[in-house]
């Protein structure tokens, strides 16, 4: 089997992958023993992690409804992770049937599952590409097939930028993506932090994974929104971004910031 130019034997299952760890913590089945061990170690190091990943997922859903409600009809979701229903296109199409969504991930397993999920779903594409090459993402023909960058786009970077090291210049990467967006576009971003507890042990779990976890302070995360205007309530812990009910117990311990912002004209 070949996906995106890669063969099944090219899929590295010897190391945990962030997308598969995330899937395991959400209760999914598309992961390996190595991912499960890493997920268990992560939960032991950061006991709030399971409610945190659920809160992050719920934040994503509320953000989809916000941007579609604001008139955006196309979404570029980078670092999409393994499909978990309802996914971005399912939420978007509830209110905007003609919504267009391009999913991007660098894990061939994610890409394979996404292609199966999206088979026959109009206005969507799944692309094997890497956030570290932002120009390659926005110029990819399968992205351009569904995304018109002359019109507003909602760029989703949900729980992915924290896998970029400082040496990879994450601010530059996000700025490159921002510059490809038309005025009126949105950035939806969530990012892990150590502001609420020492999570160095949790970081260490990812040292053996395919990407390291790079915790950043609120001030550092805010810099990713340069050139955008944050909508209320600004950059907050994900359970507290426009909650639709009472946040779960221990939500104040969740070390994930989230925000939604509109690109300035």
């Amino acid at each position: 089997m070949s996906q995106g130019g890669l063969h099944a034997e090219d899929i590295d299952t010897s190391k945990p992958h962030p997308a598969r760890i995330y899937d395991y913590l959400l209760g999914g089945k598309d992961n390996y023993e190595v991912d499960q061990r890493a997920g268990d170690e992560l939960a032991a190091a950061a006991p709030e992690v399971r409610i945190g990943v659920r809160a992050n997922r719920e934040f994503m859903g509320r953000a989809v409804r916000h941007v579609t409600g604001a008139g955006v009809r196309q979404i570029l979701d980078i670092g999409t992770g393994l499909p978990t229903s309802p996914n971005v296109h399912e939420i978007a199409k509830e209110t905007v049937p003609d919504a267009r969504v391009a999913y991007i991930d660098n894990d061939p397993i994610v890409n394979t599952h996404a292609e199966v999920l999206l088979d026959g779903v109009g206005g969507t594409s799944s692309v094997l590409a890497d956030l570290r090459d932002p120009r390659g993402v926005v110029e990819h023909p399968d992205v351009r097939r569904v995304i018109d960058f002359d019109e507003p786009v909602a760029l989703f970077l949900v729980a992915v930028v924290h896998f970029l090291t400082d040496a990879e210049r994450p601010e530059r990467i996000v700025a490159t993506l921002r510059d490809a967006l038309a005025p009126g576009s949105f950035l939806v971003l969530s990012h892990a932090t150590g502001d609420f507890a020492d999570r160095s042990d949790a970081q260490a779990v990812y040292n053996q994974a395919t990407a390291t976890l790079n915790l950043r302070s609120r001030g550092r995360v805010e810099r990713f929104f340069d050139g955008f205007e944050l909508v209320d309530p600004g950059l907050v812990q994900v359970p507290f971004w426009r909650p639709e009910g009472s946040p779960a117990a221990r939500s104040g311990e969740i070390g994930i910031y989230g925000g939604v912002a509109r690109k300035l004209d």
Side-chain angles (χ1 to χ4, degrees), residues 26-122:
L26 283 171
K29 300 186 182 346
D30 298 312
N31 49 73
Y32 295 90
E33 185 177 349
V34 66
D35 308 303
Q36 296 162 16
R37 286 199 302 269
D40 290 340
E41 291 173 10
L42 189 60
E48 78 286 355
V49 68
R50 292 186 190 276
I51 62 168
V53 295
R54 287 195 295 271
N56 185 67
R57 191 78 191 173
E58 291 163 0
F59 159 75
M60 181 205 73
R62 296 194 301 274
V64 172
R65 288 188 285 273
H66 176 81
V67 298
T68 55
V72 173
R73 296 295 183 267
Q74 42 186 7
I75 296 173
L76 178 61
D77 183 4
I78 304 179
T80 179
L82 284 152
T84 302
S85 187
N87 218 316
V88 168
H89 73 281
E90 294 170 320
I91 300 170
K93 287 176 178 291
E94 286 176 0
T95 52
V96 183
D98 62 344
R100 303 190 302 280
V101 180
Y103 291 108
I104 313 295
D105 205 280
N106 69 351
D107 183 357
I109 294 176
V110 171
N111 184 254
T112 298
H113 281 273
E115 288 185 341
V116 172
L117 176 71
L118 299 175
D119 186 33
V121 179

Side-chain angles (χ1 to χ4, degrees), residues 32 40 50 63 73 89 93 99 128 135 140 147 164 179 192 211 214 222 262:
Y32 295 90
D40 290 340
R50 292 186 190 276
R73 296 295 183 267
H89 73 281
K93 287 176 178 291
L128 186 63
R135 293 192 182 278
H140 196 287
I147 301 295
L164 299 175
D179 292 347
N214 303 275
E222 280 185 326
R262 184 178 179 274

Side-chain angles (χ1 to χ4, degrees), residues 99-242:
R100 303 190 302 280
V101 180
Y103 291 108
I104 313 295
D105 205 280
N106 69 351
D107 183 357
I109 294 176
V110 171
N111 184 254
T112 298
H113 281 273
E115 288 185 341
V116 172
L117 176 71
L118 299 175
D119 186 33
V121 179
T124 61
S125 66
S126 174
V127 177
L128 186 63
D130 199 306
L131 175 61
R132 295 172 181 83
D133 178 17
R135 293 192 182 278
V137 170
V138 299
E139 294 172 3
H140 196 287
D142 285 338
V143 171
R144 293 278 176 169
R145 178 170 58 83
V146 296
I147 301 295
D148 178 0
F149 286 97
D150 291 330
E151 299 294 330
V153 176
L155 169 63
F156 277 62
L157 297 173
V158 175
V160 64
V161 176
H162 50 228
F163 295 117
L164 299 175
T165 66
D166 285 348
E168 290 169 320
R169 301 174 64 190
E171 288 90 354
R172 178 192 60 81
I173 289 172
V174 176
T176 299
L177 294 167
R178 177 201 65 209
D179 292 347
L181 303 177
S185 294
F186 283 87
L187 171 62
V188 176
L189 181 145
S190 66
H191 193 295
T193 184
D195 283 358
F196 304 102
D198 179 0
R199 288 295 175 250
S200 53
D201 288 345
Q203 279 185 287
V205 173
Y206 284 91
N207 289 342
Q208 304 304 314
T210 58
T212 60
L213 178 64
N214 303 275
L215 304 179
R216 295 184 173 97
S217 67
R218 187 177 188 278
R220 284 292 310 278
V221 177
E222 280 185 326
R223 285 161 56 179
F224 296 120
F225 292 93
D226 286 353
F228 296 88
E229 184 175 33
L230 282 159
V231 304
D232 289 337
L235 184 65
V236 296
Q237 289 163 278
V238 286
F240 305 115
W241 194 88
R242 303 194 178 191

